Amino acid sequence: MGDGPTITTIAERAGVSIASVSRVLNGLPTRQETVRKVMAAADELGYVRNAVARSLKSRRTHQIAFAMADVGNPAYLAMLREIQPVLKAAGYRLVLHSTDAVVADEIDVLHSLGERYVDGLIMSPLRVTDTHLQMLATARAPVVIIGSVPDGTRVDNVRADSRTGVRLAVDHLYALGRRRIAMVNGPLDTVPGAARGAAYREALTDLGLPYDENLVQIGDFYREEGRRAVAELLDRAPEIDALMCANDLIALGALDVLRAKGRRVPEDVAVVGMDDTDLAAASWPSLTSVSLGSAERGKAAAELLLERLQGDDGDPKRVTVAPRLAIRASTAGPDYERTQRKEGGA
Amino acid sequence: MGDGPTITTIAERAGVSIASVSRVLNGLPTRQETVRKVMAAADELGYVRNAVARSLKSRRTHQIAFAMADVGNPAYLAMLREIQPVLKAAGYRLVLHSTDAVVADEIDVLHSLGERYVDGLIMSPLRVTDTHLQMLATARAPVVIIGSVPDGTRVDNVRADSRTGVRLAVDHLYALGRRRIAMVNGPLDTVPGAARGAAYREALTDLGLPYDENLVQIGDFYREEGRRAVAELLDRAPEIDALMCANDLIALGALDVLRAKGRRVPEDVAVVGMDDTDLAAASWPSLTSVSLGSAERGKAAAELLLERLQGDDGDPKRVTVAPRLAIRASTAGPDYERTQRKEGGA
DNA sequence: TTGTAAGCGTTATCAG
DNA sequence: CTGATAACGCTTACAA
């Protein structure tokens, strides 16, 4: 673990100035002979550029931060999977922050932008507080938000369309003849929780179905919480014939409970999840799920940020990704599943 | 996006030298009056320390890199989930590298250690080549490998015990009365592929079962590949009564195919996966799987690295994490599953 | 084409 | 206790 050669070491060895070394290393016009001497010295010494010194001078770190609520959540991972290659291709490294949806941690990330250890930030907050907005307004580096922010907020953002997503699902259930469609949601003070709850109500109304508070159960976005919530819901309203779940984890919890209670899926109760994570395709019965385009959103966010880093300083941009319904066995039954697989090819 | 105040700005405003500012900011003994002036100026200016300049001087970046084959693989994610909080608690940021198991990319990561943008590296290579070993020997920062390296390699490493893991699974299947136990493995030129293949053979031998090449199918570590492999295997050897799969994805592919062919799991064919990922618990029937302690390995690796960063320069350490068999419905049947869930509590 | 020298924003040493 | 001042390793005018 030697103490690493610097351009000074090379300069001495090659008998030239550090400026010449720098020029050669950066491919600036230099006499052939000098190039050769410098390259030789660099090779022999096993020289590697010091990224920190370089960043200090150039004011560019070639690092980008991605802050999300929870590394364990498959929806964020889908984003990560898309963000990573885009940034890598553009020569950026990825610095990961997991904030556990703790507001203070997110603010901290925003604050630390001032430390200039990254050139930009992609953030997907679960809740957006006034402090968030304030820090965003004075951020010291470009930021792209994955998620919704209040109208007028001057920040690039890529949002899902929960409303249309929920509607796709509810319409699908309705088309299957379901009329007692319940919802299991996450906390209403989160951006997705609020949006999905409202969209559910709206979708019912538009279909001419009554909105029944009894059919709405609030839990949290985890499987175990989903089980708890669905168990309660079934006790209270055993007559339901469909479940709209605010994410896939909740939906998996629902499948657990329904199975344990001997309710057939989808014959007795059809189930829809949201986010269309890997788990949806892996479960049995496989889970119909509304894709909110996590992957596309991640990709779009990375691309927006790169544009900013390339100097674009125009008005804030907003991208909205269209939702898509992935129909599987939990609503359409096993036959559908079989067909799907065959079509899917080998 | 103003141009950020520096200690010089603060010094001017507070009417003191930059040295005093630095002292105050670092909590070194200073007169109360000076402290007050500096803090006031810093507050008013919204000062944030420049991490890059600081790193250049201190030779510490407070960043650690984690390099893995694929951000999409749940086994690596399990590591990531544990590594992240450990590093965060110790004040380190996480820089993520996804190498797609491309050797050149891994070498690149090792090489880039010389750039000093991180203080250390945790790496989980799928294959370990001579170049890997060579670069490891001359690495410019502490490295911890998650995985096995040749004996004598002077590098901290945290390994799984695939051998014992496979044995646990095979013994379990044997105890259930299975005697035609087939294996679906990944590529034999990967470290895990080789280890698991050898372990399977050994386990059979020790149980007095014949090793039959016909019962071994090589594919790759993905679900789709698993389907293909298992389909072929079933054509060739329809009489098998158990499947030992080299990871969970392959096992899920196996479940797909068995279901499609009308073979009941576990009555006709028992299935075991490896890695015990989230998908194992989510599938139906839920998947018995050998946990190779991905999470524990990640945590141990992070802790080993932190020790090094705290100055420990003793001999290389080796940690081996014991495997554990998570028994679920794909071998023990749905009754077991039900019991499990009840015990699991609310 | 090349060398000298001035930063980039910190930390740390040394006199006062 | 405080202020000059010299690094850290690199890029980049500006001169030669």
Side-chain angles (χ1 to χ4, degrees):
Chain A
M1 253 182 263
D3 216 36
T6 70
I7 51 171
T8 309
T9 332
I10 298 183
E12 283 165 4
R13 180 149 188 154
V16 299
S17 73
I18 62 166
S20 288
V21 175
S22 177
R23 279 187 214 104
V24 171
L25 262 24
N26 290 305
L28 297 177
T30 316
R31 186 155 46 116
Q32 270 310 309
E33 174 59 13
T34 312
V35 173
R36 190 164 39 249
K37 282 191 297 187
V38 169
M39 292 310 257
D43 270 14
E44 288 162 23
L45 293 167
Y47 173 79
V48 182
R49 246 204 222 94
N50 183 312
V52 177
R54 181 169 233 226
S55 294
L56 179 57
K57 184 68 193 165
S58 66
R59 296 156 161 289
R60 283 234 165 197
T61 60
H62 296 282
Q63 294 192 150
I64 288 178
F66 175 44
M68 64 214 189
D70 172 19
V71 248
N73 187 318
Y76 294 117
L77 291 172
M79 295 176 191
L80 182 58
R81 279 207 284 267
E82 295 292 325
I83 293 174
Q84 211 278 332
V86 173
L87 296 188
K88 183 176 181 180
Y92 286 89
R93 285 184 217 108
L94 216 206
V95 179
L96 210 65
H97 292 277
S98 191
T99 60
D100 297 319
V102 173
V103 171
D105 279 24
E106 290 182 358
I107 300 304
D108 215 57
V109 169
L110 248 11
H111 181 79
S112 71
L113 271 186
E115 293 180 11
R116 326 231 83 151
Y117 68 97
V118 286
D119 298 339
L121 166 68
I122 298 172
M123 174 173 252
S124 182
L126 216 45
R127 296 175 174 82
V128 177
T129 66
D130 286 345
T131 318
H132 278 96
L133 297 176
Q134 211 170 302
M135 305 263 345
L136 283 172
T138 59
R140 293 255 169 69
V143 178
V144 176
I145 296 288
I146 300 185
S148 295
V149 292
D151 282 346
T153 309
R154 296 195 56 78
V155 64
D156 290 338
N157 67 105
V158 182
R159 48 184 74 187
D161 183 354
S162 287
R163 173 193 281 199
T164 305
V166 170
R167 165 146 334 196
L168 283 176
V170 173
D171 286 354
H172 170 63
L173 291 169
Y174 187 89
L176 291 172
R178 310 300 165 133
R179 292 296 179 271
R180 302 288 298 165
I181 305 172
M183 165 160 228
V184 193
N185 202 354
L188 294 180
D189 68 336
T190 60
V191 174
R196 294 168 198 185
Y200 161 75
R201 179 167 198 161
E202 199 181 284
L204 287 190
T205 307
D206 288 358
L207 286 171
L209 292 178
Y211 173 78
D212 179 352
E213 275 188 358
N214 236 18
L215 296 193
V216 176
Q217 182 76 30
I218 308 297
D220 208 334
F221 293 114
Y222 305 108
R223 184 171 188 161
E224 190 52 44
E225 280 289 319
R227 286 191 193 134
R228 203 193 316 268
V230 173
E232 232 174 276
L233 181 63
L234 285 176
D235 280 350
R236 197 171 60 223
E239 77 282 12
I240 59 175
D241 57 13
L243 268 175
M244 165 82 238
C245 302
N247 81 356
D248 283 353
L249 293 175
I250 294 176
L252 289 180
L255 293 183
D256 294 335
V257 172
L258 290 169
R259 189 184 295 122
K261 301 220 177 202
R263 310 283 289 263
R264 293 167 307 161
V265 174
E267 293 84 351
D268 301 330
V269 181
V271 177
V272 181
M274 286 194 102
D275 284 340
D276 194 21
T277 61
D278 291 350
L279 297 173
S283 78
W284 186 258
S286 62
L287 186 66
T288 293
S289 187
V290 178
S291 164
L292 293 174
S294 304
E296 292 92 322
R297 278 185 289 156
K299 190 169 185 208
E303 285 164 350
L304 277 184
L305 189 55
L306 288 178
E307 282 175 30
R308 290 293 175 200
L309 294 173
Q310 277 150 23
D312 172 0
D313 58 352
D315 282 336
K317 290 167 190 161
R318 172 199 291 200
V319 173
T320 302
V321 171
R324 217 171 30 77
L325 185 65
I327 299 173
R328 300 203 181 82
S330 69
T331 58
D335 289 340
Y336 182 84
E337 172 70 11
R338 208 169 299 131
T339 309
Q340 280 294 82
R341 187 162 313 121
K342 268 189 194 126
E343 282 169 2
Chain B
M1 249 180 261
D3 218 38
T6 71
I7 50 170
T8 309
T9 332
I10 297 182
E12 283 165 3
R13 178 149 189 152
V16 299
S17 72
I18 62 164
S20 287
V21 175
S22 177
R23 277 187 214 106
V24 171
L25 261 24
N26 290 303
L28 297 176
T30 315
R31 188 158 42 116
Q32 268 312 309
E33 174 58 13
T34 311
V35 173
R36 190 164 39 244
K37 282 192 295 188
V38 169
M39 292 310 254
D43 270 12
E44 288 162 24
L45 293 168
Y47 172 79
V48 182
R49 244 202 224 93
N50 183 312
V52 177
R54 180 170 233 218
S55 294
L56 178 58
K57 186 67 195 169
S58 66
R59 296 156 162 289
R60 283 233 165 198
T61 61
H62 297 283
Q63 294 193 151
I64 288 178
F66 175 44
M68 63 212 193
D70 171 20
V71 247
N73 187 317
Y76 294 117
L77 290 173
M79 294 176 190
L80 182 57
R81 279 206 282 266
E82 294 292 325
I83 292 174
Q84 212 277 336
V86 173
L87 296 189
K88 183 176 180 180
Y92 286 89
R93 284 183 220 109
L94 215 205
V95 179
L96 210 65
H97 293 276
S98 191
T99 61
D100 296 318
V102 172
V103 171
D105 279 23
E106 289 181 0
I107 300 304
D108 214 57
V109 169
L110 249 12
H111 180 78
S112 72
L113 271 185
E115 294 180 10
R116 317 224 139 239
Y117 67 97
V118 285
D119 298 338
L121 167 68
I122 298 173
M123 173 173 253
S124 182
L126 216 47
R127 299 175 173 82
V128 177
T129 66
D130 285 346
T131 317
H132 277 97
L133 296 175
Q134 211 170 302
M135 305 266 341
L136 282 172
T138 59
R140 292 253 169 71
V143 179
V144 176
I145 295 288
I146 300 184
S148 295
V149 291
D151 283 345
T153 309
R154 297 195 54 77
V155 63
D156 290 337
N157 68 105
V158 182
R159 47 184 74 190
D161 183 353
S162 287
R163 172 193 281 201
T164 305
V166 171
R167 166 147 334 199
L168 283 177
V170 174
D171 285 356
H172 170 61
L173 292 169
Y174 187 90
L176 292 173
R178 310 298 164 133
R179 293 297 179 269
R180 304 284 300 164
I181 305 172
M183 165 159 228
V184 192
N185 203 355
L188 294 179
D189 68 335
T190 60
V191 174
R196 293 168 198 185
Y200 162 75
R201 180 168 198 159
E202 200 181 285
L204 287 190
T205 308
D206 288 359
L207 287 171
L209 292 178
Y211 174 78
D212 179 352
E213 275 188 0
N214 238 15
L215 297 193
V216 176
Q217 182 74 33
I218 308 295
D220 207 336
F221 293 114
Y222 305 107
R223 184 171 186 162
E224 190 52 45
E225 279 289 319
R227 287 192 191 133
R228 204 192 316 270
V230 172
E232 231 174 277
L233 181 63
L234 284 176
D235 280 349
R236 195 172 64 226
E239 77 283 12
I240 59 173
D241 57 13
L243 269 176
M244 165 84 236
C245 302
N247 80 358
D248 283 352
L249 294 174
I250 295 176
L252 289 181
L255 292 183
D256 294 335
V257 172
L258 290 168
R259 190 182 297 124
K261 300 220 176 204
R263 310 281 292 259
R264 293 168 306 161
V265 175
E267 294 82 352
D268 302 329
V269 181
V271 177
V272 181
M274 285 194 102
D275 284 339
D276 193 22
T277 62
D278 292 348
L279 297 173
S283 78
W284 186 260
S286 63
L287 186 66
T288 293
S289 186
V290 178
S291 163
L292 293 174
S294 304
E296 293 91 321
R297 279 186 289 154
K299 188 169 186 205
E303 284 164 350
L304 277 183
L305 188 55
L306 287 179
E307 282 175 30
R308 290 294 175 200
L309 293 173
Q310 278 150 23
D312 173 359
D313 58 351
D315 282 336
K317 291 168 189 161
R318 172 198 291 200
V319 173
T320 302
V321 171
R324 219 171 29 77
L325 185 66
I327 299 174
R328 301 201 180 85
S330 70
T331 58
D335 289 341
Y336 182 83
E337 172 70 9
R338 207 168 303 132
T339 310
Q340 280 294 82
R341 185 158 320 121
K342 272 195 192 118
E343 280 168 1

